């Protein structure tokens, strides 16, 4: 850069296009010089001496934001550069406060100072109040925010409401005694085919293929829109069980209903309370609030394998979120709903239930560090859809075991005739799904979702399932497939077809199931 003289323009380097490198190409005047008697070393030494004297006298009061529990916090010594700057400023301002262009004192500086002080006092009062509510005296260096305090209080409320063993035993006994095939409505036949060529299943048959078209659509439909497309409307009271059959008479979905025990009536309100507390407590990252199933908060617990894992393990959470999940899994209404889902699978798909249970036992026997969500429940995984407006867009849960079923229980204050229907896309059905009722569906190969709910309505759901990778892990001798000898493609396809055939045979044939229930 060229030298600068009085009233000379600063010259900057240019690109070949003529653009200069800096925006500071402006006329500048002659440089300012310090007074001839200004000695930097003397001023620095004097500033240090004044600071040492001030510290010795203790005349300056320490800022209270740096105090905790009444203990003074020692300040670090000022840097030489900072002291030099302070000395220069003091030397320049000895003649008095800065003046405005009209010669008067600038009162705006004083107003700004007092305004900042008032803001600081309000901030400190708010921080002190939050700290006291969190159980700390004074003001912490890292004062908990209101949101964090609210999450903490919600966790404590969940933990305090954990069910006792006696309450659990009594409630489960009543639920189990009132659950049966009695009162089942006539089944709903379909022309759906479970032939492997007709189902979106992967060649290994452990998992399904992802429904890409549903990912592109990402729409929430109304009941009226789907009926206009020719979907069949299935009314359901949410209590009496009703099965859906494939073209050969196998049970491919079940509208299970509810236990007929007297105290099940309050489960909907109880679960809504639990879900609301859990959503307040759970610290969900963005990907668990807006995802391929919809825009609502989800929290998942259980045993997982996939996504590059080299071993089966329990799902990992932060210490805070793990406390939330632990408290959730001990809630009496949650345990009752989970056990009822297990009982439903055992009742309508007993072979599938036993296969799930054998796999869980094999996993836990091999690794005693694995922990089930619920004792004697064969599902490996559980997801809490925490709402408050849990409406699923069309999707399939392709990583679940392909021929398996998942249990879904809904809760909320919605009108099931108007809102939140269960949509089964391949079956072309719109099913009423009342709160506190449970269904079983083949969630891996079946695209499913919900119809819209009204603005003043709320919906939550609880799902139980098992991912296909767990069954593959056990079948591979508790090892990853990549650690095994490579299998030729044609042989792998044959094994996959045979596996799918065995899996489909685990699904009940309705006539056989009905006869067995009748004791024939």
């Amino acid at each position: 850069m060229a030298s600068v003289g009085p009233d000379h323009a600063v010259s900057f380097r240019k690109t070949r296009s003529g653009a200069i490198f800096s925006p500071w190409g402006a006329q500048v005047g002659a440089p300012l010089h310090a007074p001839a008697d200004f000695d930097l070393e003397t001023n620095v030494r004097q500033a240090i001496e004044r600071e040492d004297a001030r510290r010795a006298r203790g005349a300056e009061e320490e800022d209270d934001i740096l105090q905790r529990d009444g203990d003074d916090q020692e300040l670090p010594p000022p840097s030489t550069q900072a002291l030099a700057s302070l000395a220069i400023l003091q030397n320049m301002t000895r003649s008095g406060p800065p003046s405005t262009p009209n010669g008067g004192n600038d009162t705006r500086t004083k107003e700004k100072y007092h305004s900042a002080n008032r803001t600081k006092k309000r901030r400190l009062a708010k921080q002190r109040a939050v700290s006291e509510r969190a159980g700390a005296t004074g003001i912490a260096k890292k004062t908990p925010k209101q949101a964090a305090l609210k999450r903490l209080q919600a966790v404590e409320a969940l933990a305090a409401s954990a069910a006792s063993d006696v309450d659990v035993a009594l409630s489960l006994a009543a639920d189990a005694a009132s659950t049966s095939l009695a009162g089942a409505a006539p089944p709903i036949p379909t022309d759906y085919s479970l032939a492997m060529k007709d189902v979106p299943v992967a060649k290994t048959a452990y998992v399904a293929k992802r429904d890409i078209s549903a990912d592109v659509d990402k729409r929430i439909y109304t009941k009226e829109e789907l009926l206009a497309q020719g979907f069949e409307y299935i009314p359901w009271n949410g209590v009496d069980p009703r099965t859906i059959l494939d073209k050969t008479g196998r049970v491919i979905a079940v509208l299970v209903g509810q236990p007929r025990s007297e105290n099940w009536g309050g489960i909907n309100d109880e679960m809504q309370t639990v879900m609301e507390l859990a959503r307040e407590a759970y610290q969900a990252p963005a990907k668990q609030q807006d995802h391929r199933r919809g825009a609502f908060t989800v929290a998942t617990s259980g045993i997982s394998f996939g996504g590059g894992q080299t071993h089966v393990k329990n799902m990992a959470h932060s210490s805070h979120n793990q406390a939330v999940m632990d408290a959730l899994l001990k809630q009496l209404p949650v345990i009752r709903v989970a056990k009822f889902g297990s009982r439903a699978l055992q009742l309508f798909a007993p072979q599938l239930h036993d296969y799930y249970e054998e796999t869980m036992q094999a996993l836990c026997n091999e690794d005693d560090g694995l922990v089930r969500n619920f004792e004697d429940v064969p599902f490996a995984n559980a997801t809490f859809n925490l709402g408050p407006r849990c409406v699923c867009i069309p999707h399939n849960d392709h990583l679940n075991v392909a021929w398996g079923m998942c249990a879904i229980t809904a809760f909320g204050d919605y009108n099931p005739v108007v809102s939140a229907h269960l949509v089964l896309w391949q079956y072309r059905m719109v099913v009423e799904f009342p709160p506190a009722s449970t269904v079983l569906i083949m969630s891996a190969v079946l695209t499913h979702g919900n119809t819209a709910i009204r603005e003043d309505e709320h919906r939550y759901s609880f799902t139980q399932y098992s991912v296909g990778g767990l069954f593959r892990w056990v079948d591979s001798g508790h090892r990853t497939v990549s650690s095994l000898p490579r299998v030729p493609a044609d042989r792998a396809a044959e094994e996959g077809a045979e596996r799918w055939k065995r899996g489909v045979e685990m699904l009940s044939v309705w006539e056989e199931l009905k006869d067995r229930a009748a004791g024939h």
Side-chain angles (χ1 to χ4, degrees):
M1 187 171 70
S3 60
V4 180
D7 299 327
H8 281 71
V10 179
S11 176
F12 295 95
R13 296 182 63 183
K14 297 181 179 181
T15 63
R16 281 182 285 184
S17 66
I20 62 174
F21 280 92
S22 172
W24 306 111
Q27 296 291 333
V28 297
L32 298 175
H33 297 277
D37 60 347
F38 175 75
D39 181 68
L40 177 61
E41 182 178 354
T42 300
N43 276 272
V44 170
R45 186 174 60 256
Q46 291 174 352
I48 293 174
E49 291 172 353
R50 285 194 298 272
E51 178 64 15
D52 288 342
R54 188 192 68 78
R55 282 172 174 272
R57 291 193 308 270
E60 295 285 333
E61 181 181 355
E62 296 288 355
D63 190 349
D64 61 356
I65 194 65
L66 295 176
Q67 296 181 14
R68 179 182 173 90
D69 299 332
D71 295 333
D72 292 340
Q73 305 294 315
E74 185 180 353
L75 293 174
S79 65
T80 302
Q81 183 179 1
L83 291 174
S85 300
L86 176 64
I88 293 171
L89 287 172
Q90 289 175 334
N91 189 59
M92 294 174 65
T93 58
R94 279 175 185 153
S95 59
S99 299
T100 58
N102 61 9
N105 288 336
D106 189 355
T107 58
R108 289 175 299 175
T109 301
K110 182 183 291 185
E111 292 171 358
K112 185 176 180 181
Y113 169 80
H114 288 298
S115 176
N117 268 0
R118 288 191 296 269
T119 300
K120 178 180 176 181
K121 289 179 180 178
R122 287 193 297 269
R123 185 179 70 251
L124 294 181
K126 183 177 179 180
Q127 290 174 337
R128 184 177 290 106
V130 174
S131 292
E132 290 172 355
R133 287 198 299 272
T137 57
I139 298 176
K141 289 182 179 179
K142 294 184 178 180
T143 305
K145 296 182 179 179
Q146 292 282 8
L149 178 61
K150 191 174 182 180
R151 285 194 296 268
L152 179 62
Q153 292 171 337
V155 174
E156 292 172 347
L158 278 173
S161 60
S164 69
D165 293 341
V166 174
D167 289 340
V168 171
L170 291 174
S171 295
L172 294 182
D175 295 343
S178 64
T179 303
S180 69
L181 285 174
I188 305 169
T190 72
D191 59 358
Y192 187 74
S193 170
L194 282 174
M196 192 172 183
K197 63 181 179 62
D198 298 325
V199 181
V201 61
K203 65 180 181 180
T204 64
Y206 283 110
V207 296
K209 297 176 182 177
R210 183 166 171 170
D211 187 349
I212 303 299
S213 63
D215 291 343
V216 173
D217 190 4
K218 291 187 175 180
R219 273 196 61 191
I220 296 176
Y221 292 83
T222 64
K223 175 182 72 174
E224 291 72 22
E225 288 175 326
L226 295 172
L227 295 181
Q229 295 181 28
F231 278 64
E232 180 183 3
Y233 188 77
I234 308 295
W236 182 41
N237 62 11
V239 177
D240 298 326
R242 195 172 188 189
T243 55
I244 300 175
L245 312 180
D246 79 339
K247 63 192 302 182
T248 69
R250 287 195 183 274
V251 178
I252 53 176
V254 186
L255 310 182
V256 180
Q258 308 174 11
R260 290 180 172 83
S261 57
E262 294 180 358
N263 60 350
W264 187 263
I267 204 81
N268 185 49
D269 290 340
E270 293 169 6
M271 282 297 294
Q272 288 185 79
T273 300
V274 168
M275 292 288 194
E276 282 294 321
L277 271 176
R279 194 177 70 255
E280 289 181 5
Y282 193 79
Q283 196 167 10
K287 66 180 181 180
Q288 288 179 240
Q289 300 180 55
D290 194 349
H291 39 83
R292 64 182 291 262
R293 293 169 181 81
F296 50 86
T297 301
V298 299
T300 301
S301 178
I303 300 171
S304 71
F305 183 70
Q309 289 179 218
T310 57
H311 294 279
V312 170
K313 59 182 68 174
N314 280 95
M315 295 178 179
H317 298 280
S318 67
S319 58
H320 173 87
N321 284 345
Q322 187 61 58
V324 177
M325 299 310 299
D326 291 344
L328 263 177
L329 297 175
K330 294 176 182 177
Q331 301 300 306
L332 179 57
V334 172
I335 296 172
R336 294 179 67 191
V337 171
K339 294 281 189 172
F340 180 67
S342 172
R343 171 62 176 155
L345 186 68
Q346 186 178 35
L347 191 63
F348 290 96
Q351 293 183 64
L352 188 62
H353 173 279
D354 292 347
Y355 177 61
Y356 276 32
E357 179 60 28
E358 290 167 4
T359 301
M360 284 292 285
Q361 289 182 10
L363 289 167
C364 295
N365 290 340
E366 182 70 18
D367 183 352
D368 58 9
L370 297 176
V371 180
R372 294 189 185 213
N373 286 329
F374 308 97
E375 185 179 356
D376 298 328
V377 171
F379 295 106
N381 312 101
T383 294
F384 296 84
N385 295 316
L386 301 175
R389 296 173 58 80
C390 171
V391 178
C392 289
I393 58 181
H395 69 282
N396 70 314
D397 301 301
H398 62 290
L399 296 180
N400 293 352
V401 62
W403 64 88
M405 287 187 169
C406 77
I408 307 172
T409 308
F411 312 96
D413 58 8
Y414 59 91
N415 183 340
V417 177
V418 177
S419 309
H421 302 81
L422 176 64
V423 184
L424 308 176
W425 286 82
Q426 284 89 335
Y427 308 162
R428 305 284 291 174
M429 292 180 184
V430 178
V431 184
E432 290 181 7
F433 196 176
S437 59
T438 296
V439 299
L440 294 171
I441 64 171
M442 299 180 69
S443 59
V445 296
L446 175 63
T447 300
H448 55 286
N450 304 111
T451 60
I453 62 176
R454 294 178 292 188
E455 289 186 4
D456 60 340
E457 293 179 327
H458 304 86
R459 185 181 183 274
Y460 317 82
S461 66
F462 174 71
T463 65
Q464 295 186 95
Y465 53 94
S466 291
V467 295
L470 297 175
F471 300 89
R472 189 172 188 174
W473 170 269
V474 172
D475 290 348
S476 300
H478 301 272
R479 290 179 292 175
T480 59
V481 173
S482 59
S483 67
L484 301 174
R486 186 176 181 83
V487 178
D490 55 348
R491 180 182 164 192
E494 291 175 1
E495 291 178 350
E498 180 60 29
R499 185 174 297 112
W500 175 253
K501 180 175 179 294
R502 292 196 306 269
V504 169
E505 290 173 351
M506 295 180 192
L507 301 174
S508 299
V509 175
W510 170 245
E511 291 300 326
E512 296 176 358
L513 188 67
K514 185 174 62 172
D515 290 344
R516 190 182 309 121
H520 297 164

